[in-house]
Amino acid sequence: MSLLVVGSMAFDSINSPFGEVERVVGGSATYFSLAASYLTPVRLVSVVGRDFPKGTLDMLSARGVDLQGLKVAEGITFQWKGYYEFDLNIAHTVKTDLNVFENFAPVLPATYRESSHVFLGNIDPRLQLDILAQVREPKIVALDTMNFWIEKSPQLLREVIRSVDIVVINEAEVRELTGEFNLVKAARMLMRMGPGRVVIKRGEYGVLHLSDGEIFVAPAYPLETIFDPTGAGDSFAGGFMGYLASRDGAALTEMDYRLATIYGSAIASFTVEAFSTERLQGLSREEIDSRLAAFRALTEFHV
Ligand code: AMP
């Protein structure tokens, strides 16, 4: 199986009640591919400027992320500036500078066209559509987005939503996209647009996962120390899709989707323990396994 991701690679400047950082490495594709790399090889499509640190690219390659689809362009890397108040579930955007993304027209390397799993990470829906059109017969396509694109490109976003199997989206954004406050109703509205499955990320309240006739709810891991929620959503998606892709062609059951949700939640819980990708980049298999066991213990009960 093969997992392809397209998304942003960025410099983030973030202010949270727990500290402030300037120009640290971030971006939806960065977090996604690192998280997924613990479960399956990843093919990455993105663009950075010459100012992006080579050390990060080397670290991604060493983790099994294929960078053939990464363009290093003349110009400046995408930059996002945001802040969080005590409600860490809401990221407030101060500034989004698309920079090298403005003129990015990716051509997929030949090997990438055969990818079985595709994650259209948070980025311009025009690029999401462009990538999707270049993949031959993907088995599972999932998509994430955010308020910036919901407001800037609503039509294109709806077009891409129509063509995917799964939407992974956070709760404020699914409300904005559908105009419906109730999350179960909002998910059903999204499913009527095309996707068979909707996974709603709810920050510290966990995840609500809906498909036809099924609802699964996963908690977030109750951490004592949270530094920076940036990247949690993309890390969740990386763990989720990474697990699905690692099932190697087996027919997926509802239980696989549930386990994928827990993998995503477990891996995302490490991301928020430090700024940027600091915590996520050095995980061991044992740490992931013991957090999976902790998730099981959190919700286990006997009747
Ligand atoms: P999340 O996982 O939802 O916290 O996403 C965090 C990442 O999204 C940050 O590292 C940002 O660089 C990136 N980001 C912020 N705004 C945008 C945007 N408009 N398009 C793509 N990526 C973005």
Side-chain angles (χ1 to χ4, degrees), residues 7-14 24-32 78-81 84 91 93 95-98 101 121-124 144-149 152 170 173 201 228-237 271 276:
S8 56
M9 294 184 83
F11 284 125
D12 291 342
S13 297
I14 303 154
V24 294
V25 166
S28 53
T30 314
Y31 283 109
F32 179 95
F78 177 103
Q79 297 189 27
W80 178 72
K81 186 174 173 132
Y84 301 90
T93 293
K95 204 161 179 256
T96 305
D97 291 322
L98 296 177
F101 269 100
N122 177 25
I123 197 60
D124 192 334
D144 187 8
T145 193
M146 71 181 286
N147 47 11
F148 186 85
W149 302 111
K152 196 167 188 250
N170 81 26
E173 275 134 17
K201 301 171 284 180
D228 172 19
T230 309
D234 300 304
S235 306
F236 168 84
T271 299
S276 186

Side-chain angles (χ1 to χ4, degrees), residues 203-204 206 219-224 226 265-266 269 273 290-291 294-295 298:
E204 64 182 307
Y221 188 69
L223 289 165
E224 278 189 45
I226 299 182
S265 306
S269 72
E273 288 181 329
S290 83
R291 201 146 283 181
F295 265 90
L298 268 180

Side-chain angles (χ1 to χ4, degrees), residues 18 46 65 94 155 159 171 206 228 248 255 280 295 297 299:
F18 312 105
S46 194
V65 179
V94 176
Q155 285 317 111
E159 199 178 322
E171 65 175 338
D228 172 19
D248 219 16
M255 210 41 77
L280 188 59
F295 265 90
T299 50

